[in-house]
């Protein structure tokens, strides 16, 4: 892992076990960009390749120095060591170089409301600052990772400098499941891993938060339960039911209280 703009030295240490060195050649993506041949003059030669600028003064038989790392410098590098005749033994090793540029700042959460009513749609988007590579985004609901079916992926366009801003949406209905104590706590984590294994401390890890509370539904907004009874839905974790017979009784009393009124 190398930060964009830095210099880097790639090493290729070897033991020829008494054999004589014929050449050391370096390749990126299968194309040669540097060679060291003791019997030639000059002993060191470099070849133009996009993203690879060799500092020959600091390079030798067992290392090659690169200047001004760019996004195009990322890729697989191979070192090939060849011994003199008559055996011409060949030793080859390779490794991957990843160029990164850390985001400037923390991720941000867009959308969302401070209050939700039962059945409302909770709809938020997390956006990380531009970086190389784009940051990985993870949503958490009440400190549990959000299931994939609630996530809304977005394209990650790349700018002229090779940087990209990650975006990931989170969308679900306000249900008691997500408001166990009348409140939902949402967290978005943006991270860039240090390597492929993922068990090392990341190069970058920042988060953003959003909280919302559930409020009782509009008293005039009534719904039906599965049994057909008219009722108010859950509020703050409890369910309040208004029986149809009670509602009818109230209406009858109100209507009969007016003179000269009749029921149809």
């Amino acid at each position: 892992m190398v930060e964009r703009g830095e210099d880097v030295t790639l090493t290729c240490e070897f033991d020829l076990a008494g054999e004589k060195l014929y050449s050391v050649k370096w390749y990126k993506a299968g194309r040669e960009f540097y060679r060291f041949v003791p019997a030639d003059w000059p002993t060191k030669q470099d070849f133009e390749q996009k993203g690879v600028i060799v500092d020959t003064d600091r390079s030798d038989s067992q290392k090659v120095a690169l200047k001004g790392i760019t996004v195009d410098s990322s890729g697989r590098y191979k070192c090939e060591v060849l011994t003199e005749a008559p055996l011409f033994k060949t030793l080859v090793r390779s490794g991957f170089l990843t160029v990164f540029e850390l985001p400037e700042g923390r991720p941000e959460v867009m959308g969302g409301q401070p209050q939700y009513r039962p059945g409302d749609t909770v709809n938020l988007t997390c956006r990380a600052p531009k970086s190389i590579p784009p940051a990985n985004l993870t949503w958490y609901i009440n400190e549990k990772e959000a299931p994939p079916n609630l996530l809304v992926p977005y394209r990650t366009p790349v700018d002229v400098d090779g940087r990209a801003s990650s975006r990931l949406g989170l969308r679900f209905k306000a249900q008691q499941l997500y408001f166990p104590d009348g409140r939902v706590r949402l967290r978005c984590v943006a991270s860039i891993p240090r390597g492929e294994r993922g068990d090392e401390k990341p190069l970058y890890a920042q988060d953003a938060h959003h909280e919302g509370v559930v409020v009782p539904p509009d008293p005039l907004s009534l719904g039906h339960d599965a049994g057909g009874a008219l009722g108010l839905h859950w509020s703050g974790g409890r369910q309040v039911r208004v029986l149809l017979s009670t509602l009818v009784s109230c209406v009858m009393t109100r209507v009969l209280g007016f003179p000269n009124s009749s029921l149809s």
Side-chain angles (χ1 to χ4, degrees):
M1 301 288 292
V2 181
E3 191 162 10
R4 190 173 74 159
E6 288 187 348
D7 297 342
V8 64
T9 299
L10 308 178
T11 60
C12 182
E13 298 179 351
F14 51 87
D15 180 1
L16 299 181
E19 295 289 331
K20 189 175 181 180
L21 177 66
Y22 175 72
S23 68
V24 177
K25 296 182 180 181
W26 281 87
Y27 301 84
K28 177 182 180 290
R31 290 181 55 196
E32 184 182 2
F33 65 87
Y34 173 75
R35 69 171 58 173
F36 180 92
V37 183
D40 285 353
W41 182 259
T43 57
K44 297 182 283 187
Q45 298 181 63
D46 63 294
F47 308 96
E48 184 177 352
Q49 186 170 163
K50 189 175 182 180
V52 180
I53 302 176
V54 178
D55 185 345
T56 54
D57 291 338
R58 295 191 299 116
S59 303
D60 55 31
S61 62
Q62 297 202 5
K63 66 178 183 293
V64 57
L66 305 181
K67 300 184 294 185
I69 292 299
T70 69
V71 177
D72 296 315
S73 303
S74 289
R76 181 164 295 280
Y77 290 76
K78 182 176 71 172
C79 169
E80 179 187 84
V81 180
L82 184 66
T83 65
E84 279 277 19
L87 297 179
F88 289 110
K89 292 181 179 179
T90 304
L91 308 172
V92 178
R93 290 291 184 272
S94 66
F96 201 91
L97 184 146
T98 300
V99 178
F100 69 89
E101 181 176 314
L102 297 182
E104 296 182 359
R106 307 174 68 92
E108 62 175 334
V109 172
M110 301 174 292
Q113 304 294 330
Q115 295 182 337
Y116 299 95
R117 294 188 183 278
D120 283 353
T121 298
V122 182
N123 188 9
L124 303 100
T125 300
C126 180
R127 182 175 65 186
K130 290 183 177 181
S131 63
I132 304 172
N136 297 327
L137 297 178
T138 307
W139 274 107
Y140 293 88
I141 304 176
N142 299 321
E143 296 307 317
K144 293 184 179 179
E145 187 171 343
N149 63 301
L150 303 185
L151 303 178
V152 182
Y154 294 97
R155 290 180 62 251
T156 307
V158 179
D159 66 14
V160 293
D161 295 319
R163 301 175 302 172
S165 175
S166 301
R167 288 193 304 155
L168 182 64
L170 178 67
R171 186 181 302 157
F172 59 91
K173 293 290 185 181
Q175 306 175 47
Q176 186 176 5
L177 169 67
Y178 304 117
F179 294 77
D181 57 355
R183 180 181 298 273
V184 65
R185 298 167 180 83
L186 305 175
R187 182 164 64 100
C188 171
V189 177
S191 63
I192 297 178
R194 186 173 297 274
E196 296 180 356
R197 294 184 302 175
D199 57 353
E200 301 175 279
K201 183 179 178 180
L203 292 168
Y204 171 88
Q206 298 286 348
D207 58 9
H209 300 259
H210 170 77
E211 287 194 12
V213 297
V214 68
V215 296
D218 188 337
L220 298 179
S221 177
L222 301 176
H224 292 79
D225 63 15
L230 198 63
L232 291 174
H233 294 294
W234 65 271
S235 172
R238 295 179 301 171
Q239 192 172 40
V240 181
R241 301 189 180 279
V242 181
L243 297 178
L244 180 61
S245 59
T246 303
L247 181 61
V248 171
S249 176
C250 292
V251 173
M252 292 279 290
T253 302
R254 182 65 181 274
V255 172
L256 292 176
F258 287 98
N260 302 322
S261 60
S262 60
L263 293 176
S264 59

